[in-house]
Amino acid sequence: MASEKGKQDEIYTPTPYDLLVRKLYTVNLFHPVKMGLKSIEQLHKALGNPMDDPNITIIHVAGTNGKGSVSLKIAKSLELAGHKVGLFVSPHVASFRERMQINSQIMSEEDVISRLSRVFAVMEEHNIPATFFEVTSALAFLHFAESKVDVVVLETGLGGRLDATNIVKSPSISIITSIGLEHTQILGDTVELIAKEKGGIIKPGRPVLVGPNVPHEVLRQCAEEKAASGYYTVEDILGIDEVMGAGKKFMVGSKVLHDYDKENARIAKAALLILQRQQQNGETTNDNISFQRRHIGPITTEQIEEGTSHRPPCRFEEVSVKNPQGGEDGNNSITVILDVAHNPPAMEHLVAKLGATHPTKAKRFVVGFSSDKDLAKCSQLLLSIAPDPSNLHVVEASNPRAAKLEAILKAEPRLRDSNFDQKDRSITAQVKYALELTAEKDEVLVVCGSVFLMAEARKALGYDEPRDSDCISEMAGCHIKPQGQENFGNTDAEKAVMKAVSDG
């Protein structure tokens, strides 16, 4: 009996936060995704139009790659300059609350409970069929407005023109970091069509800044059609960076690859300078709201340099982890790099940067993928830099979208000689085993691939950070289709949570 009681005591009781966020992950069961802004516009209006506050400076960022990094760099720089800055980004790594930050602090569970409950109540009252991303966007808008931030940096979720963040009417600047082929079933099957979608965030009377890897002709036309106040490239603002041009490139075979963190830093710096020039020139917005009421004050060079040196978690994030074997000759730590490189272009850059930053040490990899990625190509790129297939540890994240171990091994047969465990597929087991071998062989450990494996990997590495309970984590990712649309299936876990939510 005592043993049975002990088992009952171990049963986890979901908190109000758990139940609300789990409910959020189920909204698409009732509200199928439809492209358009009607639902988010209705929800935003019903909440009092929080992002129409003329006292808030809004910076809107879109792009195929780099938008999350540029958003963070701008937010950190403005925070260092004394502003109260709201940052909205996705996806999250360990906690849903990471998506909504104010001055680097993620949203509290108490604030999620209070404000998400209100968003749900408004949806029900007005019969608004909002999706997961629309509800999350509305939650962020409400949180930022009621916390009285003076700056909001918004990263788009998908595309631009029909993205939920695009209900903002007059951002102080729109930024498009890069354009590439992505989500082609939704955004279009050419770079030009995708550029038009992302160009949808350009607003009348407001400037737009673009990164170097965009179809300028298409975006210039978008800017003209939208009557933007200016179309700027990074070079227009900062000039050509001779240092970056000469030294910040990597080689993969005969292919030349740029260091995108440096490129993203330049985009962020250029955006900050444009904002400051607007203030100095006393510019006004198209809606006759004085720019003096939505200003960016002076930012020092030191603040910009420090702010733009930050990068989001798991973007070539290099840390030192305690050597599990104790180490000899004072070598008590292991170099670990975490990177969410999950497709061939990103994996190419990871491989190149590893070769440039750690040229002498062998690399050991813990890797897992989402099922919709090019498993063969990604695996081949890692094998090109690993001394042997046994330097790879293949894992399967506990997520509906994760690639099965069998699928990865089938895609690249050489991985049958890698480290994996058919019975214990946990990420934790392989991370711990990889740490032991890395310490023994004096290597660099790289954890890479799908974002879905990062929370468990970081926990195994000893990260002390806010982390959602398994009660939530088992649901995370279920709301997203491979092409980026939000979806939710009918797994047993999902049925169970729906019953729990309906039971109150």
Side-chain angles (χ1 to χ4, degrees):
M1 292 296 293
S3 175
E4 188 65 30
K5 183 180 185 300
K7 289 181 181 179
Q8 292 174 359
D9 290 342
E10 292 176 4
I11 296 175
Y12 178 78
T13 302
T15 66
Y17 167 77
D18 291 331
L19 291 175
L20 272 171
V21 177
R22 284 177 69 118
K23 179 180 178 180
L24 174 57
Y25 281 127
T26 68
V27 294
N28 293 350
L29 283 172
F30 308 101
H31 308 144
V33 174
K34 295 180 180 179
M35 299 301 287
L37 297 178
K38 181 178 179 180
S39 292
I40 185 61
E41 286 174 343
Q42 291 176 331
L43 186 53
H44 187 242
K45 182 179 180 180
L47 290 169
N49 298 310
M51 284 297 96
D52 289 349
D53 184 344
N55 296 302
I56 299 177
T57 295
I58 297 177
I59 298 162
H60 202 185
V61 188
T64 301
N65 290 307
K67 61 183 184 292
S69 179
V70 168
S71 297
L72 175 69
K73 292 174 186 295
I74 291 173
K76 290 296 295 186
S77 298
L78 293 172
E79 177 188 340
L80 289 168
H83 289 279
K84 189 174 185 180
V85 185
L87 174 64
F88 180 57
V89 291
S90 59
H92 62 271
V93 174
S95 173
F96 167 76
R97 297 179 290 130
E98 296 167 20
R99 295 170 180 251
M100 296 135 297
Q101 304 177 30
I102 295 178
N103 281 6
S104 305
Q105 297 300 308
I106 67 174
M107 192 172 182
S108 70
E109 290 191 6
E110 292 75 19
D111 283 338
V112 172
I113 293 168
S114 169
R115 291 175 175 139
L116 185 53
S117 296
R118 289 161 55 198
V119 173
F120 280 139
V122 165
M123 288 171 58
E124 293 168 10
E125 180 184 352
H126 296 273
N127 194 27
I128 301 171
T131 63
F132 170 86
F133 190 73
E134 289 169 337
V135 176
T136 306
S137 299
L139 174 62
F141 300 157
L142 191 62
H143 180 53
F144 296 151
E146 294 189 346
S147 299
K148 301 196 180 303
V149 302
D150 46 74
V151 181
V152 170
V153 184
L154 293 177
E155 178 197 1
T156 60
L158 174 67
R161 182 174 65 93
L162 300 178
D163 188 77
T165 61
N166 204 31
I167 55 94
V168 296
K169 295 177 180 177
S170 186
S172 292
I173 186 171
S174 299
I175 303 168
I176 300 173
T177 59
S178 65
I179 302 291
L181 290 174
E182 62 161 355
H183 307 301
T184 53
Q185 293 181 11
I186 300 172
L187 301 179
D189 57 4
T190 67
V191 167
E192 290 73 21
L193 287 173
I194 292 173
K196 288 183 180 180
E197 287 298 317
K198 296 189 187 296
I201 71 167
I202 299 171
K203 296 296 191 295
R206 308 311 306 143
V208 57
L209 170 70
V210 301
N213 298 305
V214 302
H216 289 287
E217 184 176 344
V218 174
L219 289 178
R220 282 186 189 278
Q221 182 178 351
C222 287
E224 291 176 4
E225 292 174 354
K226 296 273 189 178
S229 64
Y231 179 93
Y232 301 99
T233 67
V234 175
E235 288 73 21
D236 290 337
I237 306 302
L238 301 181
I240 297 174
D241 188 338
E242 299 295 341
V243 175
M244 181 177 173
K248 298 298 180 182
K249 296 179 181 179
F250 307 126
M251 298 295 295
V252 175
S254 60
K255 186 180 291 187
V256 179
L257 301 174
H258 289 276
D259 183 342
Y260 281 128
D261 187 62
K262 300 297 182 183
E263 184 174 291
N264 293 334
R266 277 176 54 82
I267 295 172
K269 291 174 183 178
L272 292 165
L273 288 177
I274 291 173
L275 290 168
Q276 288 186 90
R277 289 178 186 178
Q278 287 177 324
Q279 168 66 10
Q280 292 166 0
N281 296 335
E283 293 183 13
T284 58
T285 65
N286 62 296
D287 52 8
N288 297 318
I289 299 172
S290 171
F291 194 79
Q292 305 297 327
R293 295 176 63 194
R294 300 198 283 185
H295 72 280
I296 297 296
I299 310 175
T300 67
T301 301
E302 292 75 16
Q303 288 166 342
I304 291 177
E305 288 299 323
E306 182 180 346
T308 58
S309 69
H310 288 264
R311 64 178 76 201
C314 301
R315 272 74 163 186
F316 209 83
E317 180 182 0
E318 187 168 333
V319 296
S320 293
V321 174
K322 186 177 179 181
N323 188 334
Q325 299 178 358
E328 299 178 359
D329 301 324
N331 184 22
N332 294 318
S333 64
I334 298 169
T335 297
V336 180
I337 295 168
L338 299 99
D339 196 290
V340 286
H342 60 285
N343 55 35
M347 201 63 78
E348 271 191 333
H349 281 87
L350 173 60
V351 167
K353 194 158 187 175
L354 286 170
T357 56
H358 298 277
T360 60
K361 280 195 172 185
K363 287 79 179 172
R364 182 167 297 275
F365 297 89
V366 175
V367 60
F369 301 106
S370 295
S371 58
D372 59 310
K373 303 307 177 187
D374 189 335
L375 305 180
K377 181 62 175 177
C378 288
S379 300
Q380 290 159 12
L381 284 163
L382 292 181
L383 287 167
S384 72
I385 194 173
D388 186 83
S390 63
N391 274 59
L392 270 68
H393 298 248
V394 183
V395 298
E396 178 183 316
S398 57
N399 186 285
R401 284 189 58 203
K404 295 295 183 183
L405 184 57
E406 293 81 0
I408 299 174
L409 300 181
K410 181 178 180 180
E412 176 43 76
R414 285 180 292 172
L415 290 181
R416 296 186 183 278
D417 294 325
S418 67
N419 294 287
F420 58 89
D421 191 329
Q422 294 278 12
K423 294 182 179 179
D424 183 1
R425 305 188 178 201
S426 74
I427 296 161
T428 299
Q430 287 299 330
V431 167
K432 290 183 176 179
Y433 183 39
L435 277 172
E436 292 177 4
L437 293 178
T438 300
E440 179 183 316
K441 300 175 181 290
D442 191 26
E443 299 169 328
V444 173
L445 177 59
V446 183
V447 181
C448 62
S450 171
V451 69
F452 299 136
L453 65 88
M454 290 299 173
E456 185 178 342
R458 290 163 76 91
K459 183 177 181 180
L461 291 167
Y463 274 74
D464 182 15
E465 61 186 356
R467 185 178 294 108
D468 284 338
S469 68
D470 292 341
C471 177
I472 292 175
S473 298
E474 67 185 9
M475 310 297 285
C478 300
H479 60 288
I480 308 172
K481 280 186 177 180
Q483 282 294 330
Q485 282 184 305
E486 298 156 306
N487 181 51
F488 220 94
N490 287 314
T491 67
D492 290 340
E494 290 147 20
K495 291 175 182 175
V497 75
M498 286 313 301
K499 184 177 186 304
V501 169
S502 62
D503 289 346

